Amino acid sequence: MNRSPAVELKGITKIFGRIIANHDCTLSLYTGEILSLLGENGSGKTTLMNAVAGIYYPDEGEIFVDGKKVQIKSPHDAYKYHIGMVHQHFKLVDTFTAVENVVVGLNKKDYEEIAKKDGEKYQGFNLKASARRISKICNEFGFKLNPWQRVNSMSVSEKQTLEIVKALFRGVDILILDEPTAVLTPQETEKLFDVLRNMKAHGKSVIIITHKLNEVLEISDRVAVLCKGEVVGDILTEEANEKILTEMMVGHKVDLNIERKDIPTTGERLEIQNLNLTGRDGRKILKNINFTLYGSEILGIAGISGSGQKELLETIAGLNRNTAGTIIFHNPKKEQPVTFFHKDIKQIRELAAQNKFHLKGKKEPLSLVGISNKEITEMVNNEQIIFYEDEIMNLKGKKPIEIRDLGIKLSFVPEDRLGMGLVGNMDLIDNMMLRSFRKGKGVIVHREKPEKLAKELVEELEIKTPSLHTSVKKLSGGNIQKVLVGREISSRPKVLMVAYPVRGLDINSSYMIYNLINKQKEKGSAVIYVGEDLDVILALCDRVLVLRDGEVAGILNCRETNKNEVGLLMTKKKKEDEEDA
Amino acid sequence: MGVIFESIRFATVFLFGSAGETVTEKSGHLNLGTPGVMCIGAMGSAIGASIYLSMCGGVGGTNAFLSFLFPFLFCILFAGLAGLLFSFITVTLHCNQNVTGLALTTFGVGLYPFVTSFLEANPVMKAGFSSISHKYLTHVFPEQFYNMNDFTRLFFSYGVLVYLAIAIAIAIAIIMKKTKVGLFLRTVGENPSAADAAGISVNRYRYLATMIGSAISGLGGMFYLFDWCSGAFEFVVDAYGWLAVSLVIFTMWKTEIGIAGSLLFSFLYIFPGYLNFSGPDKKLFELVPYAATILILVITSIFKLGKAPAGLGQSYFREDR
C-alpha cells in the first residue's frame, strides 16, 4: 500500500457552547485506502468529518492535504482540495433532476478544471453535456442512475448514489461517507461496498463513518476509533476483530460508585408481549419485543442510538398507533380501595360482577346488585370497596392521557431539552401545571398546588433559580433537566420511564438524578432507564435490556455482566448470533 | 373597452410587486415587508424627481428622458436599500423573517407620508410632479400613433413602466428556468444546506436576491405614484403590496403566470368602479379583490397547486446543530 497521507488532521478541537465535540483529534488518511471511523453515537465522528468537509470550522488544530497545510472554510474550499462528503441527511433538492443537483454550485472555473482533467473542451453551462458526463462516471464505477430523474421520485439508495456521483463529478479524490448503510438494505449495502472497492481501485481514498462492526471488518483497510470526542487509536483491519474494536469503542471501565440497593422486586408491573411497531415508511422499528418489568427494579435499556429505544418508550406511553402486540399493566391495587379516579360507577359494577372486590374488613366477594348508585358513590368515597388482587389491564387502545393517569409516566429528555417536555418561556410554576391543567374546576387556573410543588422541587433537588417565576429557558441545562425529571417523579409514578436524563449534565447533577431514580425504586416504582453511558447503566440498573435494530438482543443481569458483553450484544449481527449458537 | 385598458395599466403595480417578491422568495426569504418596500420605492422616486426638479429649476424645460431616469434610479436605490436592511437583519443577525418583514412594512408605510409631507409644502414641486408624470412616464409612444384605433390603444398607449414590468417578469421566468444563476438561486431557496454543501454562498445569494427583488417591487410604488396617480403623492400604495404578496402564492412562484394573475387582480379591482354603484354597495364591491384573494389561496392550498420553495422562511446558519 502506498503510505503517503492524503489528508492529515492534527489536534482538531471543536467546541459547541459548553459541549466539547472533538478534543485534540489526530488522524491520517492514506491514498487509496478505505478508512473506517468507528465510534458510538455522539462520539464526534460526524463533527470531525464535517471539519474536513468545510461544514464546521475547527476551533483548534490543523489540516494537511497532500502534506500542505490548508484552511477549509466552506464546502467549496473542500472541493478545491478534492474532498467531498456524503452527509447522512442528503443535501439534495427534491424538486430538481439528478443532473441539476449535480451541477448546482459549479462555476466556470470548476467546469474548466473538470474539462481539463477529462481532456475535453469547456462547454459552458450545458445540462446535456453534464448528463453525458454523469453517465460516463456511472459506467466507470458501476452505478445506475438516470440523470433526468427527479430526486423526489428516487429511492434512498438512488439518492445516495446521486450524492456520490455529485462528488465524483467534481473530481473528488477523497470521499467521506457518513453512516452510508444506515438507510440501505443488505443488498444495497453490498452494492455500495462494491462501488467503494471500485473507487479504491481507481486510486481514491474513502472514509466511512459507521458504528457497525461487521461492516468495518468487511470493507475497510484500517479502522480509527473515536470515543467521547477523542481519537482512541487506529488499527489495521486485518489485525482487528470485534472484541478488540468493542473494547476500543466503549473505553475502559470506570468506577462510578452509584449506590444500588438490593431490594426484592414487588411483582410484575408491565408485560410486553410480541410488540411490533412499523414506521411511517413501512420500515419495522420494533420487532417482537418481549420483556417483563417488575416493581422496585430499574431496567436499563442499552443500544446504539436509533435502535428503537425512543419508540419503545413512546409505544408504552401510548404515543404510537401503528403497533401490534400486547402491553399488560399490573396496577398495584391489591388490598387498595377503588376510587373514582379511573373508574366510573358502571365499570365498578362490572368489576363487582366479576367478584373483584370485597368490603373493608370482610373476606367474601362484594355484590353490588340491587344497590343504588348513590350508595355506591358513598361507599367508594369512604374507601369501603377494596380490590382483592392487582388490577390487570391491557394498555393497547388506551389514550396517552389515560395511560398517564394510570401512573405510567414518561420522562423523555430530548436532544433539545426544551422542545418536548417544557415550555421555555413559561416559569417553573406554569411548567408544573402543564401536567395538571386538566384537573381543577372552573375556567380560572389555580396556581397554589403547582406553586407548592415547584417550591418543593426547588428545595429538594437544589434547583438553582432566582425565583419560581423565572422562565425555564433562562436556567442552566442541568437545572432544566431537574425540573423536567422532578416533575414526572413528583406524581408518584407506578412506572417511570426516563430517557437520557443526564444528557449534558455535569457529574454532580447527574448523581442527583441517579439518586432520584433510586429513590423511586425504593418506593416500589418500576423504572425503565434509557441511557448512553454503559458504565452508568451497569452501575445503576438491576437488569439491562439490549436493543439492536429494534430487537431485543438480550437481557442481562447488571450485577453479573460487564461492558464488553453488553457492547458486543449491541453491535453484533443477528446472523452471527445464530452461528454462535 | 375602458375597463380592459385600465386593468392592463393597473396590473403593473401587482406585477412589479409580485415579480420582485418572487425573486426574493426564490432565495428562501419570505419578505412580508413588500408593501413597505413599495412605499419606500415610491418615496425614492419622489426624492429623485424632486432632486431633478430642483436641478433644472422648476417645471419648464424638463428633459423627458432625465425626468424618467432620476425617479427610476432613486426608486431602485431606496427599495434596494430596504431589501439590504431586511437581509442584514435576517441573514446576518439571524432574526425572524416574518417579524422583520412586518416591521419593514410598518416602517415603509410610515416613512412615505413623512418624506412626502416636505414636498407637499412646496407648490412648485406639486405642479412639477404632475408634469414629470405627463412628460414621459404615462405614454411611451406618440399620441398620433397609439390613438389610431382600439387595437393600437390596447397595446401601445401605456407608460414605460408597464412595458418594463412585463419585460422583467418574462426575464425573471427565463432566468429561473434556463440559467445557471436561476438554478443556483432555486437551490438556495429549496435547500440552503444543500446549496452550501455544493459550494454556493447562501448568504450572498440571499442578500442579492432580496435586494434585486425589493428594487423590482419598489418600481411598483413608483408606477403607482407617477403613472397611476399622476404624481399625486397623497395616495399610498401599501394595500396593493399585500395583494402582490398573495399574488406570489397564487401564481405558484412563476412570474410568467404572474402576468396573467396581476391582470386578473387588477381587473377585479377596476371592474366594480365601472358598475353603477355608490355608497356602501361600492365599498362592498371594492372588497372583491381581497375576498377573491382568500378564495384563491384556499383553492391553491386545497389542491396543492404549486409548491413554495422548501426553504422559504427558514434562516440558515451553517454551524447550526
Side-chain angles (χ1 to χ4, degrees):
Chain A
M1 195 194 294
N2 183 0
R3 296 303 282 175
S4 73
V7 181
E8 273 182 289
L9 308 179
K10 283 190 182 160
I12 299 289
T13 296
K14 179 75 194 174
I15 300 167
F16 293 101
R18 296 186 338 195
I19 299 160
I20 300 168
N22 287 125
H23 180 249
D24 198 14
C25 289
T26 299
L27 190 71
S28 306
L29 171 72
Y30 297 98
T31 310
E33 76 166 350
I34 300 178
L35 172 72
S36 285
L37 209 53
L38 183 69
E40 289 186 74
N41 278 70
S43 55
K45 302 170 299 228
T46 303
T47 312
L48 187 64
M49 286 303 106
N50 273 337
V52 183
I55 302 286
Y56 296 148
Y57 190 72
D59 296 316
E60 274 171 44
E62 293 166 332
I63 299 173
F64 296 86
V65 176
D66 291 331
K68 271 175 274 173
K69 189 181 162 184
V70 295
Q71 288 213 319
I72 302 175
K73 287 183 175 163
S74 70
H76 197 240
D77 282 354
Y79 282 126
K80 211 165 66 193
Y81 301 114
H82 304 296
I83 300 170
M85 180 158 170
V86 176
H87 297 268
Q88 195 177 1
H89 304 284
F90 302 136
K91 310 252 179 187
L92 297 170
V93 181
D94 279 351
T95 47
F96 287 7
T97 60
V99 60
E100 282 174 326
N101 266 294
V102 168
V103 300
V104 94
L106 289 175
N107 295 318
K108 196 177 166 209
K109 239 172 82 189
D110 304 318
Y111 278 113
E112 279 169 352
E113 201 180 306
I114 291 165
K116 215 170 86 189
K117 226 175 167 181
D118 285 6
E120 284 171 13
K121 238 183 81 197
Y122 168 59
Q123 298 185 319
F125 178 71
N126 182 336
L127 287 182
K128 276 186 190 143
S130 301
R132 275 199 299 276
R133 212 182 112 80
I134 289 172
S135 302
K136 215 179 96 193
I137 291 172
C138 289
N139 286 335
E140 200 175 336
F141 290 95
F143 296 114
K144 250 190 170 162
L145 189 73
N146 172 7
W148 302 105
Q149 192 181 354
R150 283 197 190 278
V151 172
N152 50 18
S153 68
M154 286 184 179
S155 72
V156 183
S157 139
E158 282 172 320
K159 286 182 192 173
Q160 188 178 54
T161 305
L162 174 57
E163 281 276 25
I164 296 172
V165 169
K166 186 168 132 190
L168 292 173
F169 192 96
R170 283 147 203 255
V172 155
D173 291 324
I174 298 149
L175 186 68
I176 304 166
L177 297 138
D178 190 356
E179 305 269 3
T181 60
V183 288
L184 299 185
T185 64
Q187 293 79 8
E188 288 168 337
T189 305
E190 252 336 288
K191 241 193 266 166
L192 173 72
F193 285 177
D194 286 341
V195 166
L196 295 185
R197 288 190 196 102
N198 211 339
M199 285 175 64
K200 186 176 134 186
H202 280 75
K204 311 224 182 251
S205 318
V206 178
I207 299 181
I208 151 167
I209 300 177
T210 181
H211 53 235
K212 293 182 186 165
L213 288 179
N214 57 311
E215 287 173 2
V216 170
L217 294 170
E218 187 186 338
I219 185 78
S220 61
D221 301 309
R222 210 156 51 87
V223 192
V225 181
L226 261 85
C227 182
K228 292 177 181 164
E230 293 183 36
V231 178
V232 186
D234 61 302
I235 182 170
L236 287 176
T237 310
E238 52 202 52
E239 294 165 8
N241 60 38
E242 287 197 350
K243 194 158 168 286
I244 295 175
L245 293 177
T246 307
E247 270 171 33
M248 286 171 85
M249 234 168 111
V250 294
H252 299 286
K253 192 178 182 303
V254 188
D255 274 321
L256 282 166
N257 287 325
I258 297 173
E259 204 186 348
R260 174 168 54 196
K261 291 214 172 124
D262 294 312
I263 38 178
T265 54
T266 57
E268 293 141 333
R269 276 292 167 276
L270 272 184
E271 272 179 74
I272 313 284
Q273 290 161 358
N274 296 323
L275 187 68
N276 282 285
L277 172 67
T278 312
R280 214 178 287 168
D281 52 356
R283 213 159 47 91
K284 286 215 156 190
I285 300 171
L286 297 176
K287 299 167 210 159
N288 276 329
I289 305 273
N290 281 299
F291 68 91
T292 310
L293 179 70
Y294 298 92
S296 283
E297 118 169 306
I298 305 178
L299 176 71
I301 294 186
I304 307 278
S305 86
S307 304
Q309 296 97 317
K310 183 182 158 196
E311 288 82 1
L312 176 59
L313 298 200
E314 283 178 350
T315 305
I316 296 173
L319 297 173
N320 289 324
R321 291 268 141 219
N322 209 359
T323 59
T326 42
I327 306 170
I328 307 287
F329 174 54
H330 294 253
N331 203 354
K333 278 288 183 191
K334 195 174 177 179
E335 301 302 320
Q336 298 283 322
V338 71
T339 61
F340 283 129
F341 196 55
H342 354 92
K343 297 270 176 291
D344 57 29
I345 289 194
K346 201 178 149 205
Q347 286 169 323
I348 290 174
R349 275 187 193 279
E350 276 166 17
L351 286 169
Q354 297 163 30
N355 291 338
K356 297 276 186 193
F357 301 125
H358 63 84
L359 263 181
K360 206 173 181 180
K362 285 183 188 165
K363 282 259 150 56
E364 62 273 19
L366 171 73
S367 168
L368 293 175
V369 180
I371 299 176
S372 74
N373 283 355
K374 206 178 158 191
E375 283 168 301
I376 293 176
T377 310
E378 205 168 291
M379 282 159 82
V380 170
N381 285 339
N382 293 331
E383 304 190 343
Q384 297 270 307
I385 303 178
I386 309 289
F387 278 100
Y388 271 117
E389 288 294 331
D390 284 354
E391 199 183 354
I392 295 170
M393 48 181 85
N394 195 341
L395 292 187
K396 208 154 172 252
K398 282 207 163 40
K399 287 182 195 144
I401 186 80
E402 291 171 333
I403 295 175
R404 275 201 77 81
D405 283 343
L406 283 171
I408 300 171
K409 303 289 162 116
L410 172 63
S411 160
F412 187 78
V413 179
E415 282 174 48
D416 156 25
R417 261 172 239 145
L418 285 172
M420 248 171 93
L422 301 169
V423 179
N425 281 328
M426 296 192 339
D427 66 13
L428 268 77
I429 299 169
D430 287 359
N431 268 300
M432 293 298 135
M433 278 183 52
L434 286 182
R435 284 290 185 243
S436 61
F437 65 92
R438 279 188 189 79
K439 289 172 196 146
K441 281 177 186 161
V443 186
I444 294 164
V445 293
H446 298 279
R447 283 210 168 73
E448 299 82 25
K449 267 193 187 164
E451 186 166 356
K452 210 176 126 224
L453 174 60
K455 216 169 172 177
E456 280 169 16
L457 281 186
V458 167
E459 281 164 16
E460 246 174 71
L461 307 184
E462 296 169 30
I463 298 171
K464 289 192 185 68
T465 172
S467 86
L468 294 180
H469 299 281
T470 310
S471 309
V472 168
K473 71 169 182 194
K474 286 186 186 152
L475 306 183
S476 76
N479 285 309
I480 292 177
Q481 222 135 313
K482 284 187 206 167
V483 174
L484 185 62
V485 178
R487 185 183 62 192
E488 300 307 319
I489 289 174
S490 71
S491 54
R492 311 190 108 257
K494 288 161 189 147
V495 175
L496 175 68
M497 298 186 279
V498 282
Y500 315 113
V502 296
R503 196 179 252 171
L505 290 192
D506 59 42
I507 300 285
N508 277 333
S509 314
S510 302
Y511 273 86
M512 196 91 69
I513 302 278
Y514 300 146
N515 288 340
L516 280 175
I517 292 170
N518 262 326
K519 236 177 240 166
Q520 289 307 304
K521 171 180 149 187
E522 283 165 37
K523 282 182 186 163
S525 295
V527 182
I528 298 180
Y529 175 95
V530 177
E532 284 153 324
D533 195 331
L534 288 184
D535 287 313
V536 172
I537 290 186
L538 291 180
L540 176 73
C541 304
D542 299 296
R543 289 186 301 156
V544 56
L545 185 156
V546 183
L547 275 182
R548 184 184 53 214
D549 287 338
E551 285 178 275
V552 178
I555 300 179
L556 303 168
N557 187 330
C558 289
R559 290 174 180 83
E560 287 158 10
T561 184
N562 60 39
K563 236 159 92 171
N564 287 337
E565 203 179 340
V566 177
L568 273 179
L569 273 182
M570 279 162 63
T571 45
K572 230 191 217 170
K573 246 184 138 183
K574 201 179 171 209
K575 208 166 64 190
E576 287 147 17
D577 275 359
E578 284 159 6
E579 280 166 14
D580 285 356
Chain B
M1 200 65 211
V3 63
I4 293 169
F5 170 78
E6 292 267 279
S7 298
I8 291 176
R9 206 173 139 219
F10 193 61
T12 309
V13 180
F14 298 127
L15 190 51
F16 272 127
S18 66
E21 178 68 6
T22 303
V23 173
T24 307
E25 290 194 13
K26 281 283 181 191
S27 78
H29 262 170
L30 179 62
N31 186 359
L32 292 180
T34 294
V37 167
M38 289 170 80
C39 287
I40 291 172
M43 181 198 87
S45 64
I47 292 173
S50 60
I51 288 174
Y52 175 62
L53 284 173
S54 49
M55 268 167 61
C56 64
V59 186
T62 43
N63 176 304
F65 179 63
L66 286 179
S67 66
F68 168 73
L69 193 67
F70 266 82
F72 179 76
L73 289 180
F74 274 83
C75 168
I76 288 179
L77 176 72
F78 276 85
L81 282 176
L84 178 69
L85 180 70
F86 179 86
S87 306
F88 177 72
I89 295 172
T90 55
V91 175
T92 307
L93 303 181
H94 302 294
C95 288
N96 182 301
Q97 293 181 17
N98 297 346
V99 177
T100 310
L102 291 173
L104 185 61
T105 290
T106 321
F107 175 68
V109 174
L111 192 66
Y112 175 76
F114 173 70
V115 171
T116 49
S117 66
F118 291 105
L119 304 173
E120 197 148 22
N122 187 342
V124 181
M125 283 291 172
K126 229 177 164 180
F129 267 45
S130 87
S131 85
I132 280 191
S133 150
H134 283 290
K135 200 92 192 176
Y136 198 97
L137 288 166
T138 41
H139 300 286
V140 184
F141 301 101
E143 196 173 351
Q144 306 92 292
F145 172 65
Y146 72 71
N147 241 347
M148 282 194 297
N149 54 39
D150 275 353
F151 178 80
T152 51
R153 256 196 295 281
L154 194 62
F155 285 100
F156 302 110
S157 68
Y158 308 105
V160 60
L161 286 172
V162 178
Y163 301 107
L164 187 65
I166 295 166
I168 284 178
I170 293 169
I172 291 172
I174 292 171
I175 289 171
M176 289 299 165
K177 264 198 197 135
K178 300 280 178 192
T179 69
K180 199 166 77 181
V181 178
L183 183 70
F184 288 15
L185 181 65
R186 281 190 288 145
T187 309
V188 171
E190 290 285 346
N191 188 341
S193 77
D196 195 17
I200 300 171
S201 167
V202 174
N203 289 359
R204 198 176 67 194
Y205 265 82
R206 286 199 159 171
Y207 259 98
L208 281 174
T210 310
M211 285 168 68
I212 292 169
S214 295
I216 295 170
S217 295
L219 287 175
M222 174 178 170
F223 169 85
Y224 185 71
L225 172 59
F226 280 103
D227 197 322
W228 189 254
C229 301
S230 312
F233 34 69
E234 299 85 58
F235 304 99
V236 191
V237 71
D238 61 319
Y240 314 114
W242 290 118
L243 287 177
V245 173
S246 54
L247 191 60
V248 176
I249 304 166
F250 172 53
T251 60
M252 297 177 274
W253 291 267
K254 289 190 174 104
T255 49
E256 68 270 30
I257 300 180
I259 298 174
S262 44
L263 267 174
L264 176 69
F265 269 44
S266 164
F267 175 76
L268 288 174
Y269 186 80
I270 297 295
F271 181 62
Y274 278 79
L275 300 170
N276 282 329
F277 288 117
S278 60
D281 288 350
K282 188 162 181 269
K283 290 282 170 208
L284 196 66
F285 263 94
E286 281 174 4
L287 286 177
V288 167
Y290 299 93
T293 306
I294 294 169
L295 192 73
I296 285 162
L297 292 186
V298 169
I299 291 169
T300 44
S301 58
I302 286 177
F303 294 102
K304 301 220 161 53
L305 301 169
K307 247 181 96 192
L312 188 62
Q314 293 171 8
S315 57
Y316 178 70
F317 177 55
R318 188 188 290 152
E319 297 211 354
D320 261 350
R321 301 192 90 198

